[in-house]
Amino acid sequence: MQDNATEVTAAGIARLAGVGRAAVSNWRRRHADFPRPVGGTETSPAFALAEVEEWLRRHRKLAEVPLKERVWQQLAGHPDGPVTALVHAGCALLLIHDRPPVWLDISSGTDERLAALLPTALDEVLTPRVPGTARPGRTDRSRVNGQNPVNTQPAATPATPVTPATPATPATPATPPTPALAIPTAPRLLPSVPLLRGVAELAADRGARPTFEFLLGRHLDANPRQYTLTPPDLAGLMAALAGTPATVLDPSCGTGALLRAVADRPDRRLHAQDSSPELAALTALRLALHTRAPVHAAAGDTLRADAYPGLRADAVLCHPPFNERNWGHDDLAYDPRWEYGFPARTESELAWVQHALARLRDGGTAVLLMPPAVASRRSGRRIRADLLRRGALRAVVALPAGAAPPYSVPLHLWVLRRPDRTHAQPELLLVDAGRFTAEGRGGPDWPGVRETVLDAWGAFDRDGGVEERPGVARSVPVIELLDDDVDLTPARRLPPPTDTDGAGRLADVRARLDETLRLTAELAPPPAEPVPSAASGRLPLTTVGELARAGALVMRTGGHGGRARVPVLTDHDVLAGTAPSGTLPESEEEPVLTEPGDVVLPVLGGGAVARVVDEATAGAVLGRNLVLLRPDPAALDAWFLAGFLRGTANHRQASSYASTATRLDVRRLQLPRLAPDEQRRYGERFHALDAFERALREAGRLGEQLVRGMYDGLTDGTIAPD
């Protein structure tokens, strides 16, 4: 009965049955017994999942619903929303992970019995793992994780006197922080029982932790605009800069990526807070499943209602919201955290910097991700100057573009340390990792970024300075930075690359360009010979859909998650002819891996492109918006298939058009019926054209690199004009 409460859209039905959405529309028109909508809108109706599953089985459209798909659809269509469902699932998974016999006992009876017994079982497992978790019926919202009620307007004055530009206004009452988790009651759990049973079944196969990561990754991927994520590689770098602290705070925890990346140690304690109650709850569960350390988590506006006013952590890791105007400027003028100056309304990031320093013990380290403008805006120069004078700001690292959203901006890392002594001649470490930006839309060269940044920071932290590396790293005396601008942008303070880095590198680029141009000339196709009109009759045609039904090829679509650390072939990679460069949310979803001879096509954008997977690309995960065709070598030549699928007219007749996008229906693409020998003749010609095209692309990339390097060398004085 409860399962009927779970709704699924037409897109979800298509995923369950392994068909396109058009097939679902046809079923609705042709079958009078197709389930009626139970929700949604007229243009996007929703159906009861249980009714859909029963109809699909009855009509032999579906032999068996894949367990992970059934669980996901139950979660996505939960009557109380996917986040509530995900929290309930995470609570059950933590119980399964920590006390499997208890779960087996309470789940052996009816749904009502499971819902009635689960709150008590959750209380026993959540309370020690996530201290401060609210019990059923508890109404005390003023105490979080054993802290005293938060006073958002202390009477104490800041260490550095602050004179506001305008008279102080009465503080706007802030909502006090609340526990991130509250143990759900039996009535709230009852609609989730079918989901929890499915989650337990999935966990028996995959494990509790991977199951939660799969469901969380699927949810984040389905709602990309709602969440700003910290990529795992960046989180790992920030955690490495913090060392191996025992007590760690993330005051803007998001999905918990930074705390999850912290190195484990026996006495570790984690503290998290986020203004979004949803993210705070998901982070608490994610961390509890990831570590045995106590996880203190709270929901609330950190700057206005700090959940940990008495905390003195060993490290603070933070990816704060950028460019916030409503951060509490009018309410917090006399807050004691503004030890280095009262931040301007436009300097919310400097408020987060000072909050992090206020929550550190003496000598503790904070690492914050910052937009690059914070290093140079005039409105923040006085605070930057005081951070430098007192030795609180220790390093500014310029990351490559593409390190984190917004991906077009090269963000900065600020490494701070709460001063425990006075520095006689303080210096600031500046590092520019921009050289590790990857071409195209792929992510940076993270191994290179990590090695460069950690090597420089390790030497600076140990010796108080680093050996200067032109264009990469330098320790700058603070006195040099205390000018009118106090500009801390690394690129403006680092010496240009040396001659060997400039002229020598350009000589290598020139040599590679010469060789590529010679190869391009050799690969240029011979003059085209027209086919006599008598022999130009139309060949008999077939479609990709017909070939798939006949078993001549297998058709697969890109996924929404996959194994960590596996390169992903994206639609941009296919269009640009570059190596796999993408990432997908980490999950236990079985990815589609490419094999030599596969033909890959993008389905969005309207470009007539098909790529044959070679040995270098094989093994990559198939990304979103891509379709993979795996031909039977006995029936189809891969290059013949790819070549005919690239025809402009072929794409035009197989494409559908919306107001802002073009979508390719791969099943409608056509190719001629030819004998294997004739296929190979065409395939050899298509293969030669592909080699010529790749040589042209490489020549273009090298030419752009050479021109850009020459302009840079001539303008910065590392290359002579003659």
Side-chain angles (χ1 to χ4, degrees), residues 339-354:
E339 190 176 348
Y340 300 88
F342 182 43
R345 189 184 303 276
T346 57
E347 294 287 354
S348 62
E349 296 85 2
L350 291 179
W352 286 98
V353 164
Q354 295 189 77

Side-chain angles (χ1 to χ4, degrees), residues 601-639:
L601 301 89
V603 296
L604 295 179
V609 175
R611 176 172 175 176
V612 177
V613 175
D614 56 16
E615 294 289 346
T617 308
V621 174
L622 189 70
R624 293 171 292 182
N625 302 322
L626 289 176
V627 170
L628 179 147
L629 304 178
R630 184 164 293 160
D632 179 357
L636 282 174
D637 179 83
W639 284 104

Side-chain angles (χ1 to χ4, degrees), residues 221-385:
D221 191 52
N223 302 276
R225 296 185 179 180
Q226 295 183 22
Y227 307 103
T228 300
L229 305 182
T230 307
D233 290 299
L234 175 58
L237 174 60
M238 294 175 67
L241 287 168
T244 55
T247 304
V248 190
L249 166 68
D250 185 345
S252 180
C253 62
T255 59
L258 291 175
L259 292 177
R260 189 168 177 260
V262 175
D264 202 0
R265 54 182 288 178
D267 58 343
R268 186 174 65 172
R269 297 182 303 280
L270 303 178
H271 295 74
Q273 182 171 353
D274 200 275
S275 59
S276 167
E278 296 179 356
L279 290 177
L282 295 176
T283 291
L285 289 167
R286 188 182 195 190
L287 294 175
L289 281 163
H290 178 71
T291 178
R292 300 299 303 182
V295 178
H296 302 267
D301 186 328
T302 296
L303 295 180
R304 288 190 175 93
D306 182 14
Y308 312 103
L311 179 65
R312 293 298 176 264
D314 298 314
V316 175
L317 300 174
C318 186
H319 177 175
F322 298 160
N323 303 317
E324 287 281 324
R325 292 298 184 100
N326 186 28
W327 59 267
H329 178 271
D330 296 334
D331 306 335
L332 304 173
Y334 293 98
D335 195 290
R337 288 172 292 183
W338 315 143
E339 190 176 348
Y340 300 88
F342 182 43
R345 189 184 303 276
T346 57
E347 294 287 354
S348 62
E349 296 85 2
L350 291 179
W352 286 98
V353 164
Q354 295 189 77
H355 173 81
L357 286 167
R359 294 296 161 262
L360 286 173
R361 64 165 175 81
D362 289 348
T365 302
V367 184
L368 284 84
L369 184 67
M370 308 290 277
V374 183
S376 58
R377 280 194 296 242
R378 290 189 60 81
S379 55
R381 66 188 186 277
R382 291 185 179 178
I383 295 178
R384 293 196 300 270

Side-chain angles (χ1 to χ4, degrees), residues 459-473:
F460 179 81
D461 193 35
R462 181 181 62 253
D463 305 327
V466 295
E467 183 179 349
E468 183 177 291
R469 295 180 59 190
V472 177

